[in-house]
């Protein structure tokens, strides 16, 4: 059975966490919510609470088939946790799928080699991605190697389809 990690922190964009979470479960995949702390309740931008199942310090990239990074303001908090960054770095080293939407690619800028990679995101972090060496494009979903990116919750259907296709 395929196993997915979805990163969680306070101020996540609810649809960008919940839609992939339930859609992947519907496909029969095992899905873990990975936060800086295990069994902690994290609250979304609009107040919806979700509890982490694992702490990033306790997991290994080789145990997962892909990682998903929702947006909202949570990636700004995620980047402050070295264990979370190191997990994503290891996923990138292993060339496992890393999927990020909205502000989620901020984590890619901190943890992945973006030089020459095509990516998209919410427009406000475009300069951060370009400064990390990425080629920014404004498209619904962009797949470049092991990286999958999308812009906003409006792109979620295409985003999750691309994730599922990548891990088949």
């Amino acid at each position: 059975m395929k196993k997915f990690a979805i990163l969680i922190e306070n101020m996540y964009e609810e649809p960008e966490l919940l839609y992939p979470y339930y859609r992947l479960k519907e496909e029969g995949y095992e899905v873990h919510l990975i936060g800086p702390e295990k069994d902690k309740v994290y609250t979304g931008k609009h107040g919806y609470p979700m509890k982490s199942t694992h702490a990033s310090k306790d997991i290994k990239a080789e145990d997962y088939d892909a990682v998903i990074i929702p947006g909202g303001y949570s990636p700004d908090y995620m980047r402050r946790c070295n264990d979370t960054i190191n997990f994503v770095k290891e996923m990138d080293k292993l060339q496992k799928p890393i999927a990020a939407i909205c502000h989620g690619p901020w984590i890619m800028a901190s943890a992945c080699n973006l030089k020459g990679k095509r990516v998209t995101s919410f427009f406000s972090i475009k300069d951060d991605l370009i400064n990390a060496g990425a080629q920014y494009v404004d498209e619904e979903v962009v797949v470049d190697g092991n990286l999958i990116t999308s812009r906003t919750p409006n792109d979620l259907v295409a985003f999750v389809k691309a994730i599922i296709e990548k891990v088949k």
Side-chain angles (χ1 to χ4, degrees):
M1 175 190 308
K2 302 280 185 185
K3 190 184 323 183
F4 287 82
I6 299 179
L7 301 184
I8 188 168
E9 242 295 3
N10 285 317
M11 299 298 287
Y12 63 88
E13 181 67 48
E14 282 92 337
E16 296 170 356
L17 185 142
L18 295 171
Y19 182 75
Y21 178 78
Y22 288 112
R23 184 66 190 87
L24 294 169
K25 285 174 127 355
E26 182 180 46
E27 285 292 316
Y29 300 133
E30 187 174 347
V31 183
H32 296 167
L33 293 177
I34 312 299
E37 298 176 47
K38 179 182 179 178
D39 293 326
K40 180 178 176 180
V41 173
Y42 294 93
T43 305
K45 279 175 45 179
H46 306 287
Y48 193 84
M50 290 288 284
K51 186 191 283 189
S52 61
T53 57
H54 296 76
S56 51
K57 68 180 175 149
D58 298 329
I59 60 170
K60 294 182 176 138
E62 48 271 3
D63 294 334
Y64 289 88
D65 294 289
V67 60
I68 298 169
I69 308 165
Y73 302 116
S74 65
D76 188 42
Y77 294 108
M78 290 174 191
R79 290 176 14 156
R80 301 171 195 189
C81 178
N82 288 332
D83 294 316
T84 298
I85 294 299
N86 289 334
F87 172 70
V88 177
K89 279 183 182 177
E90 284 301 311
M91 292 291 286
D92 195 41
K93 265 191 212 170
L94 295 171
Q95 290 296 291
K96 293 190 175 191
I98 301 170
I101 187 167
C102 190
H103 287 73
W106 256 345
I107 301 299
M108 290 175 166
S110 295
C112 303
N113 179 4
L114 294 182
K115 293 200 183 344
K117 297 283 189 164
R118 294 178 73 244
V119 299
T120 195
S121 68
F122 189 70
F123 72 91
S124 70
I125 66 165
K126 172 184 176 181
D127 292 343
D128 299 288
L129 298 173
I130 291 170
N131 288 333
Q135 178 188 351
Y136 185 87
V137 294
D138 183 11
E139 296 176 11
E140 180 179 51
V141 66
V142 177
V143 179
D144 191 338
N146 65 314
L147 305 180
I148 304 164
T149 53
S150 283
R151 304 168 298 192
T152 70
N154 292 336
D155 301 331
L156 275 165
V157 172
F159 179 65
V160 176
K161 279 183 181 180
I163 294 165
I164 292 169
E165 187 62 35
K166 192 75 168 167
V167 300
K168 279 187 178 178

